[in-house]
């Protein structure tokens, strides 16, 4: 069974930090682009960050740029999202996603439909 499992979410005060992990099982994701999305109540799923298999290319949504850092450890089949200086607007369920490689597709996309594998999410709540 192919599965992505997020962990590390929780409750934190504004200005605090959290580190999310995405552990993969049932398949290696070492060649995939890995990404994080988030979804707040009543809102559409929003792209947060993505990283290519080499780690040479990253892309961030403007509101998190400079505060969040995406990384990966292919030996552990795991990706991470380090979140610093958290704000109440960051409150959401955070989802891990994977995009397999292909010659006819871009390495990174912000469109959720471009990702084939998803975790079930981890809640991040930032209090003011």
């Amino acid at each position: 069974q192919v599965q992505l499992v997020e962990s590390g979410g929780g409750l934190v005060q504004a200005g605090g930090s959290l580190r999310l992990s995405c552990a993969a099982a049932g398949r290696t994701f070492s060649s995939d682009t890995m990404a994080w999305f988030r979804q707040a109540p009543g809102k559409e799923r929003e792209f947060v960050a993505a990283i290519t298999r080499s780690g040479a290319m990253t892309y961030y949504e403007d509101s998190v740029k400079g505060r969040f850092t995406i990384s990966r450890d292919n030996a552990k089949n795991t990706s991470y999202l380090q979140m610093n200086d958290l704000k109440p607007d960051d409150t959401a369920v955070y989802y891990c996603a994977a995009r397999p490689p292909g010659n006819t597709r871009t390495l990174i996309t912000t469109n959720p439909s471009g990702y084939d594998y998803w975790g079930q999410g981890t809640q991040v709540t930032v209090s003011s």
Side-chain angles (χ1 to χ4, degrees):
Q1 182 180 13
V2 177
Q3 188 175 26
L4 300 176
V5 180
E6 303 94 338
S7 62
L11 175 64
V12 64
Q13 291 186 346
S17 299
L18 286 172
R19 186 176 187 244
L20 305 183
S21 298
C22 172
R27 174 183 177 271
T28 179
F29 291 85
S30 60
S31 297
D32 292 21
T33 294
M34 303 299 296
W36 290 90
F37 289 76
R38 65 187 181 185
Q39 189 165 19
K43 293 187 177 181
E44 198 170 287
R45 189 167 298 186
E46 177 190 36
F47 175 84
V48 177
I51 185 169
T52 60
R53 64 182 181 182
S54 69
M57 181 182 295
T58 59
Y59 186 77
Y60 297 90
E61 193 271 329
D62 286 343
S63 69
V64 309
K65 194 171 186 177
R67 299 188 296 121
F68 291 10
T69 302
I70 188 170
S71 62
R72 66 193 300 162
D73 185 343
N74 286 339
K76 297 183 180 295
N77 214 20
T78 303
S79 62
Y80 306 93
L81 185 69
Q82 178 68 46
M83 305 186 294
N84 298 326
D85 191 24
L86 283 162
K87 305 177 184 298
D89 285 347
D90 296 320
T91 296
V93 176
Y94 282 70
Y95 297 91
C96 175
R99 176 178 172 84
N103 291 332
T104 62
R105 65 198 329 199
T106 58
L107 295 177
I108 293 177
T109 179
T110 62
N111 192 332
S113 67
Y115 294 83
D116 296 337
Y117 302 97
W118 293 85
Q120 292 188 326
T122 184
Q123 177 70 47
V124 172
T125 302
V126 184
S127 65
S128 60

